[in-house]
């Protein structure tokens, strides 16, 4: 899915496997928000969401059975003018790792780019990695601390 250059691109993944394996590229205009609602079982499982060029990226839901397992996200960087984060991720134990590498987050400025609203626990099946720095040349394991 290629979102429009400007405007809001809102994708609702409400039924089982409705957006599984989807690839989304957000717009890159001055007001090009990318909003993904992952509200069904396995709805965004193994998806790749590229919001790097978008003004803001919202990943909502991720609380239904395996809805956001093995998700790959490319986050827009924080706003240098006001220091505000532009990548927002919700989830619980359904945001994590199934059989691949787990959640993969690409964020140039690391956690400075991302606001996470996570209401789950943290166990061995919640692995993943963050890639950051120039050309995503640095990485770290996503951990509970």
């Amino acid at each position: 899915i290629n979102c429009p250059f400007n405007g809001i691109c809102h994708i609702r993944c409400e039924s089982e496997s409705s957006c599984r394996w989807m690839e989304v590229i957000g717009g890159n205009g001055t007001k090009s928000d990318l909003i993904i609602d992952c509200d069904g079982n396995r709805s965004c499982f193994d998806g790749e969401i590229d919001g790097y060029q978008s003004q803001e990226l919202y990943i909502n839901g991720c609380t239904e059975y395996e809805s956001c397992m093995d998700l790959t996200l490319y986050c827009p960087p924080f706003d240098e003018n006001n220091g505000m984060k532009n990548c927002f991720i919700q989830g619980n134990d359904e945001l994590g790792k199934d059989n691949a590498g787990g959640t993969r987050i690409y964020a140039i400025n690391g956690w400075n780019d991302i606001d996470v609203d996570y209401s789950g626990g943290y166990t061995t099946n919640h692995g993943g990695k963050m890639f950051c720095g120039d050309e995503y040349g640095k990485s770290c394991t996503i951990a509970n601390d």
Side-chain angles (χ1 to χ4, degrees), residues 3 7 12 14 21 27 34-35 38 44 56 64 66 73 87 97 106 114 122 124 131 135 144:
C3 292
R12 292 176 178 91
E14 298 171 339
W21 302 298
L34 176 54
I35 304 165
C38 301
C44 296
E56 293 180 337
E64 298 302 318
E66 293 187 343
L73 304 172
C87 187
K97 177 181 177 180
Y106 293 81
I114 304 167
Y122 189 85
T124 57
F131 300 87
E135 299 180 19
N144 63 344

Side-chain angles (χ1 to χ4, degrees), residues 3-110:
C3 292
F5 184 78
N6 279 312
I8 295 173
C9 182
H10 193 165
I11 300 170
R12 292 176 178 91
C13 306
E14 298 171 339
S15 58
E16 184 166 348
S17 299
S18 53
C19 298
R20 190 170 184 178
W21 302 298
M22 77 170 169
E23 294 180 16
V24 178
I25 299 173
N28 65 1
T30 56
K31 188 61 178 162
S32 60
D33 293 350
L34 176 54
I35 304 165
I36 311 288
D37 297 331
C38 301
D39 293 324
N41 291 347
R42 294 185 184 97
S43 54
C44 296
F45 193 116
D46 257 336
E48 183 171 317
I49 301 165
D50 186 348
Y52 177 75
Q53 296 292 328
S54 299
Q55 184 171 354
E56 293 180 337
L57 170 63
Y58 295 87
I59 306 298
N60 301 320
C62 295
T63 58
E64 298 302 318
Y65 179 71
E66 293 187 343
S67 54
C68 293
M69 293 296 187
D70 299 333
L71 192 61
T72 299
L73 304 172
Y74 289 84
C75 288
F78 74 94
D79 187 325
E80 293 181 19
N81 295 321
N82 62 21
M84 301 296 290
K85 298 177 181 188
N86 291 317
C87 187
F88 307 95
I89 305 167
Q90 289 180 338
N92 63 9
D93 292 336
E94 306 309 325
L95 172 65
K97 177 181 177 180
D98 181 56
N99 56 13
T103 304
R104 291 168 304 281
I105 301 173
Y106 293 81
I108 295 291
N109 302 297

